[in-house]
Amino acid sequence: MGSIDRSKRRSSQLWKKALVHFAMCFVVGFFTGFTPPSTATLFERRPVSSIGILPAAPVEAVERVVERGAPVNRTLAEITSTVPAAAVRDDPPPDAEASETRGPQPPSRRLLIIVTTTRSSDRFLGASLRRMAHTLRLVPPPLVWLVVQAHADAAATAPMLRTTGVMYRHLTYKENFTDPGVEADHQRNVALSHVEYHRLTGIVHFAGASNVYDLRFFDEIREIEVFGTWPVAMVSENRKRVMLDGPICLSTKVQGWVLKDLSSDKRLLVASTELNPKPPKINVSGFAFNSSILWDPERWGRPTSLPDTSQDSIKFVHEVILEDDSKLKGIPADCSKIMVWHLYTPSVIPLPFHYQKLRSEGK
């Protein structure tokens, strides 16, 4: 009997221990369900501070509109992009001493400042901007895209820009223009004023919305110290023409300028009589320059100010280009490759011939 009592007592103790353990596990699990998930990880997470391609996020657009009569070199009209403030700041210009202490960046890390102007009459603007955005997304950072547009047209473009995944700034203005050329220069001045005001140090290039690029081109222009230039192929589909506009170079030194029709002569044989000492016309798509020349011209051997250029940055850039070819670097070496194509698109798409015939017959 004594052994049976001891076995019953031992089994009851085991059941009590099992019940206690079960109860403890149940209570711990119950209260664990109310605790927030742990963010601890075995790997250290570090914030990314470099300027690059950032994913777009829906944010409310904030505008600062150019006031009529305000000086051009301080006029800003910006719809802020989805880039965090830490990436591209809108702070006041930094002190010159602070900028000097940072020192120049290596060419591979230079900021590319791509400026694109727009026309209200461009029926393909949306498609052209999206194509340009797809190109810029493939360019290694750092890069910022400045899109300049009339204030009345900006609201339609802003949602598309937010979805491109490219770091951008949307600049607007309220002035009205009847001359497309004058308006384009005004847009470039708005962009250059923004660059100067915010001390965006990098390489500025005016990229037309209809331009097509070889991606190696962007690596080449990062090597520019002062000014760079290259040949541009201008393609007109409706006229069946291809024009070459740009420099003829020996290594990286500019020897002269040529504007030649390649429609019938694709070998590009340039006679000495076709070579011009100065570019016949400034093609802004064929030039890039170091932005610091806008606020520190003496560093590049220029006087502090010039008559009639203090409020006209693009005119100042044109004068520097025409004044001294020695500051220009030919890209690529010997200017031997076409890396930029400018496509001329008609403002109105012509109807095919059979549709034109039906319309003339009133059918």
Side-chain angles (χ1 to χ4, degrees):
M1 293 291 294
S3 62
I4 295 175
D5 291 340
R6 283 196 298 272
S7 63
K8 289 183 178 180
R9 204 178 298 117
R10 188 178 304 163
S11 62
S12 65
Q13 290 176 355
L14 293 174
W15 277 104
K16 287 179 181 179
K17 288 182 179 180
L19 290 173
V20 169
H21 289 167
F22 175 79
M24 291 178 61
C25 293
F26 176 79
V27 171
V28 171
F30 179 80
F31 285 104
T32 302
F34 290 97
T35 59
S38 174
T39 58
T41 177
L42 296 176
F43 303 98
E44 181 181 3
R45 295 182 178 181
R46 298 182 180 179
V48 178
S49 57
S50 62
I51 298 177
I53 298 174
L54 302 178
V59 296
E60 293 184 2
V62 180
E63 284 192 358
R64 282 181 290 170
V65 180
V66 176
E67 296 294 338
R68 185 173 296 279
V72 175
N73 64 349
R74 287 295 179 268
T75 57
L76 297 178
E78 175 182 3
I79 299 177
T80 56
S81 70
T82 57
V83 180
V88 176
R89 294 173 173 264
D90 281 345
D91 300 334
D95 295 336
E97 295 181 358
S99 300
E100 292 176 359
T101 56
R102 287 197 299 265
Q105 288 186 330
S108 61
R109 296 296 301 164
R110 282 181 182 150
L111 173 67
L112 292 182
I113 306 167
I114 308 300
V115 178
T116 298
T117 58
T118 59
R119 291 184 291 113
S120 301
S121 60
D122 188 354
R123 299 176 55 188
F124 307 102
L125 179 62
S128 298
L129 289 178
R130 190 170 292 278
R131 182 184 61 186
M132 178 64 69
H134 290 327
T135 300
L136 298 181
R137 287 186 64 177
L138 301 175
V139 180
L143 180 146
V144 61
W145 186 23
L146 305 186
V147 180
V148 191
Q149 194 170 23
H151 176 73
D153 303 326
T157 306
M160 184 275 292
L161 292 176
R162 296 192 191 104
T163 63
T164 59
V166 178
M167 181 181 297
Y168 75 93
R169 294 187 178 185
H170 195 179
L171 310 180
T172 69
Y173 58 94
K174 278 190 170 180
E175 287 81 356
N176 295 319
F177 297 90
T178 57
D179 186 339
V182 174
E183 183 175 15
D185 277 347
H186 178 76
Q187 292 185 16
R188 296 179 186 116
N189 279 327
V190 170
L192 294 179
S193 299
H194 184 88
V195 171
E196 179 183 1
Y197 183 85
H198 294 283
R199 295 295 194 267
L200 300 181
T201 303
I203 304 301
V204 178
H205 168 55
F206 296 102
S210 61
N211 283 8
V212 177
Y213 291 91
D214 183 327
L215 288 176
R216 294 171 294 180
F217 164 80
F218 297 98
D219 295 328
E220 293 280 354
I221 64 174
R222 278 197 164 108
E223 304 293 328
I224 293 173
E225 294 296 337
V226 188
F227 275 85
T229 184
W230 51 85
V232 178
M234 299 178 292
V235 183
S236 177
E237 181 181 0
N238 58 335
R239 297 180 182 177
K240 308 297 182 183
R241 293 182 63 188
V242 178
M243 299 287 294
L244 179 69
D245 182 12
I248 299 297
C249 306
L250 179 61
S251 184
T252 60
K253 184 175 176 58
V254 175
Q255 302 294 311
W257 304 85
V258 65
L259 179 62
K260 185 176 179 64
D261 188 348
L262 300 182
S263 304
S264 56
D265 181 9
K266 299 178 176 58
R267 294 174 298 170
L268 188 57
L269 299 177
V270 180
S272 58
T273 55
E274 298 175 316
L275 208 59
N276 300 302
K278 298 292 181 182
K281 182 181 179 181
I282 298 294
N283 183 351
V284 293
S285 292
F287 293 90
F289 62 94
N290 192 313
S291 62
S292 63
I293 197 172
L294 297 173
W295 59 83
D296 190 11
E298 292 183 347
R299 177 183 175 188
W300 309 111
R302 297 286 297 170
T304 304
S305 61
L306 293 174
D308 302 325
T309 58
S310 58
Q311 305 296 323
D312 195 343
S313 297
I314 191 63
K315 183 177 180 181
F316 171 71
V317 171
H318 285 185
E319 289 194 1
V320 175
I321 293 172
L322 294 172
E323 182 182 76
D324 188 1
D325 287 347
S326 64
K327 294 184 174 67
L328 299 176
K329 176 183 179 180
I331 295 174
D334 295 325
C335 302
S336 55
K337 295 180 181 178
I338 304 296
M339 307 182 80
V340 181
W341 294 263
H342 179 72
L343 306 182
Y344 283 103
T345 54
S347 57
V348 179
I349 302 177
L351 292 173
F353 175 75
H354 60 279
Y355 284 115
Q356 294 180 13
K357 185 176 181 181
L358 290 174
R359 175 173 290 185
S360 63
E361 295 174 355
K363 298 181 181 181

